[in-house]
């Protein structure tokens, strides 16, 4: 059974209270429960959040040899973090870039992603449902990769 890591970056601990008109009313704990339920019988799943760039880098490093792929909502670090990009390139694990909002329909500074060049693909704009879509996308990718 494959093992996935869902990694959430800064401010995502505030989901549900934070700009609900942009990010929805679902809390990160609700999303975690939905993902855990969706994982049942399909994959092992770890679900983490940190507001700290270095901690996210450490978690990506630790995923090598522990998990088969990562779903990463890097929050605002998406648009700034060469360190996260380098960490992903270093561990050579498949990464799905995820955002609740459609970053391409928002401010211009959100159109740039340092994660996109090292991700297998990007899912954005589907709110909390994007987490489930990302799990299915990554599991599908891992199945195809295995032949
Ligand atoms: C986000 C989009 C980012 O631009 C923003 O900084 C976030 C959340 C999203 O899930 O839509 O914190 O990653």
């Amino acid at each position: 059974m494959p093992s996935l890591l869902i990694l959430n970056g800064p401010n995502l601990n505030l989901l549900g209270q934070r700009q609900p008109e942009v990010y929805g009313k679902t809390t990160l704990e609700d999303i975690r429960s939905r993902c855990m339920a969706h994982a049942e019988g399909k994959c092992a799943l770890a679900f983490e959040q940190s507001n700290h760039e270095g901690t996210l880098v450490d978690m990506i490093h630790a995923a090598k040899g522990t998990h088969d792929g990562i779903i990463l909502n890097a929050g605002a670090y998406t648009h700034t973090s060469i360190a996260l990009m380098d960490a992903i390139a270093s561990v050579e694990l498949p990464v799905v870039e995820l955002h609740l909002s459609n970053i391409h329909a928002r401010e211009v500074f959100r159109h740039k992603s340092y994660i996109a060049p090292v991700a297998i693909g990007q899912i954005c704009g589907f709110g909390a449902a994007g987490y489930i879509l990302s799990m299915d996308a990554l599991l599908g990718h891992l199945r195809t990769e295995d032949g």
Side-chain angles (χ1 to χ4, degrees):
M1 196 182 270
S3 179
L4 308 186
L5 170 64
I6 300 183
L7 199 48
N8 294 282
N11 301 306
L12 292 166
N13 54 310
L14 299 180
L15 278 184
Q17 327 160 21
R18 173 196 182 201
Q19 295 176 275
E21 68 289 356
V22 179
Y23 298 116
K25 289 186 182 145
T26 312
T27 66
L28 195 63
E29 183 49 35
D30 288 338
I31 292 175
R32 195 194 67 81
S33 308
R34 287 184 203 177
C35 290
M36 288 300 172
H38 191 67
E40 231 159 87
K42 292 191 193 79
C43 61
L45 182 64
F47 192 97
E48 304 286 353
Q49 190 272 334
S50 174
N51 292 322
H52 305 280
E53 188 175 16
T55 304
L56 294 166
V57 168
D58 288 343
M59 287 183 192
I60 291 168
H61 291 175
K64 196 172 172 71
T66 310
H67 300 290
D68 300 298
I70 302 173
I71 294 162
L72 176 63
N73 184 348
Y77 288 140
T78 304
H79 318 298
T80 61
S81 182
I82 297 170
L84 285 181
M85 178 176 78
D86 284 351
I88 293 165
S90 304
V91 297
E92 294 177 340
L93 285 171
V95 171
V96 174
E97 177 183 355
L98 170 65
H99 304 282
L100 294 130
S101 63
N102 180 357
I103 56 171
H104 304 289
R106 298 184 63 196
E107 302 96 323
V108 170
F109 65 82
R110 294 187 205 275
H111 298 180
K112 165 78 185 169
S113 168
Y114 283 97
I115 309 302
V118 289
I120 54 171
Q122 184 188 72
I123 293 178
C124 70
F126 294 99
Y131 281 78
I132 303 297
L133 295 172
S134 300
M135 287 176 70
D136 289 341
L138 184 51
L139 288 171
H141 173 84
L142 290 170
R143 272 196 298 274
T144 317
E145 234 186 10
D146 284 353

